[in-house]
Amino acid sequence: MSTATQTIEELANQEYKYGFVTEVETETIPKGLNEDVIRLISSKKEEPEWLLEWRLKAFRVWSTMTEPTWHNVRYTPIDYQEISYYSAPKKQAQLDSMDEVDPEIRATFDKLGISLDEQKRLSGVAVDAVFDSVSVGTTFKHTLAKLGIIFCSFSEAVREHGDLVRQYLGSVVPYSDNFFAALNAAVFSDGSFAYIPKGVKCPMELSTYFRINAANTGQFERTLLIADEGAEVSYLEGCTAPQRDENQLHAAVVELVALDYATIKYSTVQNWYPGDKDGKGGIYNFVTKRGKAFTNAKLTWTQVETGSAITWKYPSCILQGDNSVGEFYSVAVTNNHQQADTGTKMLHLGKNTRSTIVSKGISAGFGQNTYRGLVRIGKNAHGARNFSQCDSLLIGDRCGAHTFPYLEVKNSSAQVEHEASTSKIGEDQIFYCRQRGLSPEDAVNLIVNGFCKEVFRELPMEFAVEAQKLLGISLEGSVG
Amino acid sequence: MLVVRNLHAKVGNRQILNGIDLTVNAGEVHAIMGPNGSGKSTLAGVLAGRDEFVVTAGSVTFKGQDLLALEPEERAREGLFLAFQYPVEIPGVNNAYLLKAALNEVRKHRGEPVLDAIDFLTLARERMKLLGIDDSLMDRPVNAGFSGGEKKRNEIFQMAVLEPSLAILDETDSGLDIDALKTVAAGVNAMRSPDRAMVVVTHYQRLLNYIVPDFVHVLSDGRIVKSGGKELALELEEKGYGWIESAPAAASSEAPPQTVESV
């Protein structure tokens, strides 16, 4: 094997740095799923009757559904009775301030580089930290409240802002949407909630940091984000999990509602434990993310997916209002035995709706990377336009890249463009860089980075840095 | 600066270089000529450290160091530059960004402070002006979609920014029309300096009308079979390579080095 190839492999095989476990007292309910478990979860969270009913309806639908098999990922069947559906750090009463967060948990987030201490935070980001299934604290809540912005855990939103939750919950992803979304609706434990009032531009990034800690538990968060008319918000989501030999299920749902003239930018850096180099362990990440854009509203999904044994997610946009805009920028990396089947759905319903899809898949080792995207132009979507670009980069010769673009165009005035490419990092490219003085690692970084830059450019600064660290690469500067 | 002794190298099972001796001093321009398959590009590749070329015997010292013991990037940082015959396309990577990264590696190696984007751009623009190269090259992905002439000009531009002590130009004239050739040659001539040596590998004498060498060596079957001054190139032009190849090889390959070492 040549040195260049070795370098690529070494780089690709960097160890998972977030695999530690936190010793913290938790309350975990017994494994298994039935209506009693759902009642238990709901009662632990002291939920109103309507929400319990909603969960039960979801559970009943889910019980009649079968796990999808259309995706291009392979795994041993999940035994849904072998999972515990609720785990939470034991804590005292209601937290009044961030200082009351369990020191162990606080230390965990510090270790992850997420400080819950508001003084130490960059002033530009408010964080909701979710540890196992429960939100353990939200920073800058009071600062935001002055502008009428609500940013809190989902549970708190149910308690304090029940009407808003009730109005929008399931309005974008109905509880019967798909197998994993129905499961989530039945058992979701917590997550984040944000509401930006009319005309308010959120002055800081809102961020949720998800951490799985307990073993043998599933994590089912639910995030609901509402930008009222003319509001603007940028939202970041990050995730890590300990290194364990068994697979853990993560089935989250994210719903975005962008009312008239609102803008929501949702960015994810997903770094769940990917499993070891032989494919043992790792998170099964089956996630449903969707947003609805009303008149002149804009939704942007940006994701950097580097973790998880299996990634199954299609952040989508329902472009319901006229002139609404949907964007999807994605970098997905699969290495060793990781599998990803990811992409988006752009559903054009309104007139002059526009969407952009830029997907960059990087495969190394035995990784399998699939782009799956649907662009549907409805019959009333006069003047709708879509541009899709799907590029794949292969590192080594044992990995795979697959592209499944689906187009359904029912309006003849629509314009749809699709471009795709597949390339390989060549030894000659690496040699060229080395001859100019770059180390092989830097050469690979440079090339991978160049490949991803259209997506990184879309990330908020703080996340761009994290994405850079994640790929083990340095961000391309804006020279020239 | 560069001393090559009895260099043998192969690619796969094929022996290509069969005992090269060559000494290049600072300030000199050497032309290596020879027919296709004589080993010209292999010599350039071995000096740059391409790993498909395996050195089977001989030695190379560069500024007093064992060149063959160095990784390709270490050779580059020491000041060895190869202008590629076929510059590689790297889509997505900004040309200026690669060059800035490369220059800063070289500068770090020399113990000089790294340049920030503004200082780098100032330097790069100045070199482009010197070479008469269009600014737009900087903002484009490395060689991607470049014409043959643009690729070669880009190589010379990189050389002008990196300021190597030894530049090896591998068939820089191939695929160039006469105007592009003149631009490239003018760039190379602008870079000639008492501190810098150049090895110009070419099949045709044409390039040597514009880059006038101090020494000309003729390579045949992996050996230098004849060495001389710039007039040798003209002689080759007139008589063709057949004239050299039929001459007894042993005589010249064992001739003493054509210049005195002054490393």
Side-chain angles (χ1 to χ4, degrees):
Chain A
M1 195 176 2
S2 74
T3 47
T5 310
Q6 271 168 6
T7 306
I8 295 168
E9 304 238 318
E10 279 166 23
L11 191 84
N13 288 332
Q14 279 180 352
E15 274 191 51
Y16 189 70
K17 289 178 193 141
Y18 308 100
F20 62 90
V21 178
T22 308
E23 293 300 328
V24 60
E25 243 193 302
T26 57
E27 180 188 12
T28 304
I29 64 169
K31 293 173 182 174
L33 184 55
N34 52 48
E35 293 203 4
D36 289 340
V37 168
I38 290 163
R39 285 177 206 282
L40 180 65
I41 294 171
S42 191
S43 76
K44 278 194 178 300
K45 305 181 75 64
E46 298 164 24
E47 287 176 352
E49 190 59 28
W50 67 264
L51 188 51
L52 174 62
E53 281 309 313
W54 194 77
R55 287 176 180 275
L56 290 171
K57 276 192 278 185
F59 176 71
R60 288 168 200 148
V61 170
W62 178 76
S63 309
T64 66
M65 296 171 117
T66 45
E67 215 171 311
T69 52
W70 44 261
H71 40 230
N72 187 27
V73 298
R74 303 282 165 267
Y75 55 95
T76 45
I78 300 166
D79 184 345
Y80 292 91
Q81 297 304 332
E82 273 302 304
I83 296 171
S84 166
Y85 288 86
Y86 185 80
S87 172
K90 272 190 188 156
K91 61 178 183 194
Q92 312 81 0
Q94 189 67 31
L95 294 181
D96 283 333
S97 86
M98 293 305 292
D99 299 336
E100 293 171 27
V101 174
D102 183 318
E104 281 293 328
I105 295 175
R106 192 183 258 290
T108 300
F109 282 99
D110 279 346
K111 208 163 161 182
L112 297 168
I114 312 293
S115 174
L116 298 181
D117 193 334
E118 293 190 5
Q119 275 73 48
K120 287 186 196 152
R121 283 300 298 176
L122 290 169
S123 55
V125 185
V127 182
D128 182 29
V130 177
F131 189 83
D132 283 336
S133 301
V134 171
S135 169
V136 293
T138 310
T139 61
F140 292 107
K141 234 154 82 172
H142 303 297
T143 317
L144 293 167
K146 286 179 198 147
L147 292 165
I149 296 170
I150 303 168
F151 180 44
C152 61
S153 72
F154 204 94
S155 308
E156 187 183 330
V158 169
R159 282 195 306 272
E160 309 287 327
H161 313 282
D163 292 346
L164 270 177
V165 176
R166 194 169 182 178
Q167 185 183 349
Y168 290 106
L169 178 68
S171 69
V172 186
V173 181
Y175 61 78
S176 56
D177 190 77
N178 68 69
F179 183 84
F180 295 106
L183 178 64
N184 174 286
V187 303
F188 77 91
S189 33
D190 211 340
S192 296
F193 175 87
Y195 170 79
I196 320 297
K198 255 184 210 176
V200 172
K201 187 171 181 230
C202 188
M204 57 177 79
E205 310 270 354
L206 301 185
S207 161
T208 304
Y209 197 92
F210 294 106
R211 172 73 180 170
I212 294 181
N213 189 59
N216 300 315
T217 58
Q219 188 153 357
F220 307 92
E221 330 86 11
R222 201 159 178 114
T223 299
L224 177 57
L225 223 66
I226 303 149
D228 210 328
E229 289 173 23
E232 272 181 47
V233 63
S234 170
Y235 196 90
L236 323 172
E237 176 194 71
C239 9
T240 57
Q243 211 156 333
R244 296 187 191 279
D245 285 348
E246 60 279 358
N247 298 107
Q248 271 179 291
L249 178 63
H250 173 255
V253 171
V254 175
E255 294 182 276
L256 309 184
V257 179
L259 297 175
D260 296 353
Y261 293 89
T263 298
I264 300 178
K265 190 173 164 69
Y266 195 102
S267 312
T268 304
V269 172
Q270 185 267 109
N271 188 25
W272 297 119
Y273 177 54
D276 69 10
K277 63 181 186 343
D278 301 316
K280 195 171 188 199
I283 303 293
Y284 289 165
N285 191 34
F286 291 90
V287 172
T288 304
K289 292 184 169 179
R290 195 175 303 152
K292 197 182 268 187
F294 290 85
T295 304
N296 287 73
K298 182 177 177 188
L299 291 174
T300 303
W301 295 103
T302 305
Q303 61 173 21
V304 177
E305 303 282 320
T306 60
S308 296
I310 293 175
T311 295
W312 181 102
K313 64 180 279 200
Y314 315 90
S316 303
C317 298
I318 302 172
L319 302 174
Q320 183 162 306
D322 292 348
N323 311 313
S324 57
V325 176
E327 295 177 333
F328 173 75
Y329 300 96
S330 170
V331 168
V333 182
T334 54
N335 185 25
N336 295 320
H337 292 267
Q338 280 178 280
Q339 308 173 66
D341 192 311
T342 184
T344 184
K345 287 191 277 189
M346 292 293 175
L347 309 176
H348 293 255
L349 304 177
K351 294 187 185 73
N352 299 316
T353 44
R354 281 168 291 144
S355 65
T356 304
I357 299 172
V358 177
S359 163
K360 304 280 179 174
I362 301 168
S363 312
F366 296 93
Q368 294 295 325
N369 210 322
T370 300
Y371 167 79
R372 189 182 302 277
L374 168 67
V375 176
R376 180 187 289 157
I377 312 278
K379 62 180 192 305
N380 298 323
H382 301 287
R385 276 177 292 156
N386 161 265
F387 171 76
S388 303
Q389 184 187 336
C390 303
D391 298 321
S392 303
L393 185 69
L394 300 170
I395 303 177
D397 51 13
R398 295 164 302 183
C399 52
H402 318 271
T403 304
F404 300 102
Y406 303 92
L407 292 177
E408 293 174 17
V409 181
K410 292 182 182 141
N411 185 306
S412 58
S413 68
Q415 282 179 37
V416 176
E417 284 177 72
H418 182 88
E419 289 178 7
S421 76
T422 302
S423 53
K424 243 186 121 161
I425 294 190
E427 301 273 320
D428 53 346
Q429 290 175 326
I430 293 177
F431 181 74
Y432 188 82
C433 296
R434 293 179 79 186
Q435 211 301 306
R436 296 300 180 249
L438 271 62
S439 69
E441 302 79 37
D442 288 346
V444 172
N445 286 347
L446 190 77
I447 295 166
V448 170
N449 213 358
F451 178 74
C452 298
K453 77 176 168 201
E454 289 152 282
V455 175
F456 284 169
R457 200 182 279 155
E458 297 296 325
L459 286 172
M461 200 45 163
E462 165 146 333
F463 258 25
V465 174
E466 191 168 340
Q468 153 204 343
K469 277 197 236 152
L470 272 183
L471 290 182
I473 62 180
S474 50
L475 253 186
E476 238 189 85
S478 51
V479 179
Chain B
M1 178 163 310
L2 180 76
V3 182
V4 181
R5 286 279 169 273
N6 192 35
L7 185 67
H8 289 67
K10 62 177 185 179
V11 177
N13 291 321
R14 212 158 61 91
Q15 195 69 36
I16 310 248
L17 300 184
N18 296 304
I20 302 272
D21 288 288
L22 177 68
T23 300
V24 178
N25 297 305
E28 295 174 354
V29 175
H30 290 243
I32 309 268
M33 301 185 70
N36 292 328
S38 59
K40 303 188 299 289
S41 285
T42 301
L43 176 62
V46 167
L47 294 177
R50 273 210 117 105
D51 60 8
E52 63 258 42
F53 301 127
V54 178
V55 174
T56 51
S59 67
V60 181
T61 52
F62 175 55
K63 296 176 168 175
Q65 292 189 68
D66 178 4
L67 183 76
L68 301 178
L70 300 178
E71 293 293 335
E73 61 273 24
E74 292 168 330
R75 301 179 192 198
R77 292 171 198 164
E78 280 292 331
L80 185 148
F81 179 91
L82 173 66
F84 284 69
Q85 182 178 5
Y86 303 108
V88 181
E89 299 193 3
I90 312 179
V93 176
N94 185 284
N95 206 22
Y97 187 74
L98 168 68
L99 190 52
K100 175 168 163 273
L103 177 62
N104 280 333
E105 287 299 334
V106 171
R107 291 179 65 91
K108 270 189 258 174
H109 183 76
R110 291 184 195 144
E112 296 166 4
V114 297
L115 293 186
D116 63 18
I118 293 166
D119 290 342
F120 170 77
L121 274 182
T122 310
L123 173 74
R125 292 227 169 89
E126 177 217 312
R127 294 302 143 88
M128 295 201 127
K129 213 168 177 181
L130 179 77
L131 303 177
I133 292 176
D134 186 50
D135 273 29
S136 69
L137 275 194
M138 294 264 283
D139 298 331
R140 291 161 62 183
V142 180
N143 295 322
F146 283 28
S147 70
E150 282 175 329
K151 284 182 182 173
K152 297 301 173 77
R153 275 195 287 259
N154 192 34
E155 296 292 289
I156 301 306
F157 166 56
Q158 294 183 358
M159 176 175 85
V161 171
L162 295 173
E163 303 186 292
S165 30
L166 173 66
I168 301 163
L169 312 179
D170 188 8
E171 308 257 6
T172 294
D173 50 333
S174 69
L176 293 188
D177 63 31
I178 193 73
D179 290 331
L181 185 73
K182 281 181 182 166
T183 319
V184 164
V188 172
N189 287 329
M191 292 293 297
R192 284 178 88 148
S193 120
D195 307 322
R196 183 172 294 124
M198 296 195 190
V199 173
V200 181
V201 173
T202 180
H203 185 85
Y204 299 105
Q205 191 272 336
R206 187 179 71 150
L207 178 66
L208 305 181
N209 289 334
Y210 302 98
I211 304 173
V212 180
D214 301 306
F215 301 96
V216 175
H217 311 279
V218 183
L219 205 59
S220 173
D221 195 23
R223 286 187 189 89
I224 289 176
V225 291
K226 196 166 179 60
S227 296
K230 59 179 185 255
E231 64 291 343
L232 178 58
L234 294 167
E235 214 173 331
L236 281 169
E237 171 93 333
E238 200 180 307
K239 298 181 182 172
Y241 286 114
W243 161 65
I244 296 289
E245 281 168 329
S246 57
S252 49
S253 70
E254 284 171 19
Q258 66 284 355
T259 50
V260 181
E261 274 178 48
S262 60
V263 181

